[in-house]
Amino acid sequence: MTARIEDLLRELAPQVLGVLVRRFGDFDLAEDSVQDALLAAATQWDRDGLPDNPRGWLIQVAQRRMADAVRTEVARRRRETTDFLREVPVEAVARDDTLDMYFLCCHPDLPPAGAVALTLRAVGGLSTAEIAAAFLVPESTMGQRISRAKKRLTESERPFADGAHDNARVDAVLQVLYVIFTEGHTSSSGAGLRRGDLSAEAIRLTRALSSLIPDNTEVTGLLALMLLTDARRAARTGPHGELIPLTEQDRSRWDRTQITEGLRLLTATLPSGLTGPYQMQAAIAGLHAQARRVEDTDWSRILLLYNMVERATPNPMITLNRAVATAMVHGPAAGLSVADTVSEPLAHSHRLAAVRGHLHEMAGESAAAVREYQRAARQTASAPERDYLLLRAAHLRASG
């Protein structure tokens, strides 16, 4: 299967799922049918070429799969058979339901963590392993969480009724978009540092959400955060795909157009104050973006902002970022003390060991830094991050 077809299928999958779930209301059956249609498309399109209307093709094939399944359950679901066998209206085929699906999966009957996990798996295109890594839990635990959410959603009365765009679901949708962007910006596994399809889709959908609820400062803040972060994309890798850390990046390669838009969006939220964690993180990204040189970075303000984010939404990864900012302001020993406070929840995350390695290196403690870099390299499933960590360790051994 060509990369072009693979990218197209990834883009169309949530839209097709949205059409079928909105019309027929059976999430499990719709998801299984869409997967069947994607498999059929992967084979036929690669052999015969793209159809004139790829989205409509997928919808009709998936609908036929649903109809076949319904026919085997006529006795139990006789009243639903007619609806399933009807053709999807033309207007449904033409509509992009992706963002609607995010709201529909973030159902208020589900616990927030379950709703977010289900949405990431069914609509966001992330694997169970990738979602588990984002939530810092074992893959088996995340699989059970997603299964429970699907079961509870199936048992809910009219789970996909109209009126999904209510404020109660916005926070969960924002978390889904943030996790998708983060996985796209720095992949948790694989040969590449990033997945541009995920980060681009997260930005696209956040733009759509911002247009839908323009007065929500957290939505605007998240869009600003994504743009300011994605602006560094071209400078984050070398000619062979190797990771280049923030402190060593050629800042002339940063996308100034994206930075300008991100700063404009962030500024527009400030009259209401910095009240939400995405706003605050966007402000941190803005300080990095405005520093033309590494030494111009305003670490004192960044540390202040991380303290604010941590109070608003306690999270071990935020604490780890605060540890780095603390080290830049108060020295590596102070940073290591902060990092030690999250040693238990991040025990299996390579990021804790990587930060410890960096802080030990700052302190001139080469042997300890090498041990931590090597530990982080063993824990990560990302090839570029592993290579970078091993190179740092080798450099310290050679210079020590």
Side-chain angles (χ1 to χ4, degrees):
M1 182 170 59
T2 66
R4 179 190 174 200
I5 292 176
E6 185 177 357
D7 290 344
L8 181 60
L9 291 176
R10 187 180 296 112
E11 175 188 344
L12 292 177
Q15 300 180 27
V16 174
L17 181 62
V19 170
L20 298 178
V21 171
R22 177 180 296 280
R23 181 154 183 82
F24 303 129
D26 190 323
F27 186 92
D28 277 343
L29 183 55
E31 186 180 30
D32 290 344
S33 300
V34 170
Q35 290 302 315
D36 287 345
L38 293 174
L39 289 173
T43 301
Q44 294 184 35
W45 295 2
D46 197 38
R47 183 189 65 223
D48 303 332
L50 292 177
D52 293 336
N53 183 354
R55 189 167 181 267
W57 190 98
L58 286 171
I59 289 172
Q60 296 305 326
V61 171
Q63 181 177 270
R64 284 198 293 272
R65 297 291 193 274
M66 293 183 78
D68 291 343
V70 168
R71 288 191 185 98
T72 67
E73 300 179 10
V74 169
R76 186 171 66 87
R77 303 183 67 176
R78 187 179 300 277
R79 289 182 297 106
E80 298 178 2
T81 303
T82 303
D83 283 342
F84 274 101
L85 296 178
R86 281 209 305 257
E87 292 294 310
V88 175
V90 174
E91 60 270 19
V93 174
R95 176 176 174 173
D96 183 352
D97 280 328
T98 306
L99 188 58
D100 287 341
M101 278 302 302
Y102 280 65
F103 277 96
L104 293 170
C105 287
C106 292
H107 195 278
D109 285 354
L110 300 178
V116 170
L118 174 63
T119 310
L120 287 167
R121 183 70 186 92
V123 192
L126 269 62
S127 68
T128 304
E130 290 167 341
I131 301 168
F135 281 83
L136 305 174
V137 299
E139 183 176 353
S140 59
T141 301
M142 184 53 65
Q144 292 170 0
R145 185 178 298 178
I146 293 171
S147 295
R148 286 196 301 268
K150 290 172 67 174
K151 184 174 185 295
R152 187 165 178 177
L153 201 58
T154 301
E155 294 171 350
S156 175
E157 278 194 39
R158 302 183 68 220
F160 302 105
D162 291 337
H165 293 162
D166 60 78
N167 291 332
R169 307 191 190 197
V170 172
D171 287 347
V173 171
L174 290 178
Q175 187 178 359
V176 169
L177 293 170
Y178 178 67
V179 171
I180 291 173
F181 175 81
T182 301
E183 178 64 26
H185 183 69
T186 305
S187 297
S188 58
S189 62
L193 180 65
R194 60 185 301 272
R195 289 181 58 185
D197 58 322
L198 290 180
S199 52
E201 179 69 354
I203 291 173
R204 183 184 76 83
L205 291 173
T206 307
R207 282 192 188 279
L209 184 58
S210 182
S211 298
L212 188 68
I213 41 178
D215 295 330
N216 188 304
T217 55
E218 272 293 79
V219 175
T220 306
L222 179 57
L223 179 56
L225 172 60
M226 289 179 176
L227 292 171
L228 291 166
T229 304
D230 191 61
R232 304 196 292 264
R233 177 178 68 245
R236 294 180 64 233
T237 54
H240 304 293
E242 66 272 22
L243 183 154
I244 301 177
L246 178 63
T247 54
E248 299 174 18
Q249 289 174 15
D250 178 358
R251 300 188 176 209
S252 68
R253 299 185 66 199
W254 289 3
D255 189 326
R256 305 313 301 185
T257 300
Q258 277 189 291
I259 289 173
T260 299
E261 182 183 2
L263 292 174
R264 178 182 58 77
L265 289 168
L266 175 62
T267 302
T269 71
L270 295 181
S272 301
L274 283 174
T275 58
Y278 294 120
Q279 271 184 293
M280 298 170 193
Q281 290 179 79
I284 293 169
L287 290 172
H288 282 298
Q290 292 176 86
R292 295 287 184 156
R293 301 176 304 165
V294 175
E295 53 268 32
D296 296 333
T297 306
D298 191 342
W299 283 106
S300 294
R301 289 179 66 190
I302 289 174
L303 177 56
L304 176 65
L305 286 164
Y306 271 126
N307 286 329
M308 294 171 62
V309 178
E310 193 174 31
R311 285 194 297 270
T313 54
N315 179 292
M317 290 305 301
I318 293 296
T319 302
L320 196 60
N321 289 332
R322 180 169 68 84
V324 175
T326 298
M328 300 304 294
V329 177
H330 300 298
L336 283 165
S337 295
V338 175
D340 285 344
T341 65
V342 290
S343 58
E344 185 175 342
L346 296 182
H348 302 292
S349 171
H350 75 283
R351 302 204 183 282
L352 175 61
V355 166
R356 279 177 167 164
H358 172 62
L359 298 184
H360 280 301
E361 184 178 355
M362 281 181 62
E365 300 165 349
S366 296
V370 168
R371 286 196 300 271
E372 294 292 351
Y373 282 141
Q374 290 176 332
R375 179 181 294 112
R378 290 193 299 269
Q379 290 177 321
T380 184
S382 166
E385 289 190 309
R386 181 177 61 249
D387 292 346
Y388 170 78
L389 292 163
L390 292 175
L391 283 172
R392 291 304 306 165
H395 172 76
L396 287 174
R397 282 199 305 270
S399 61

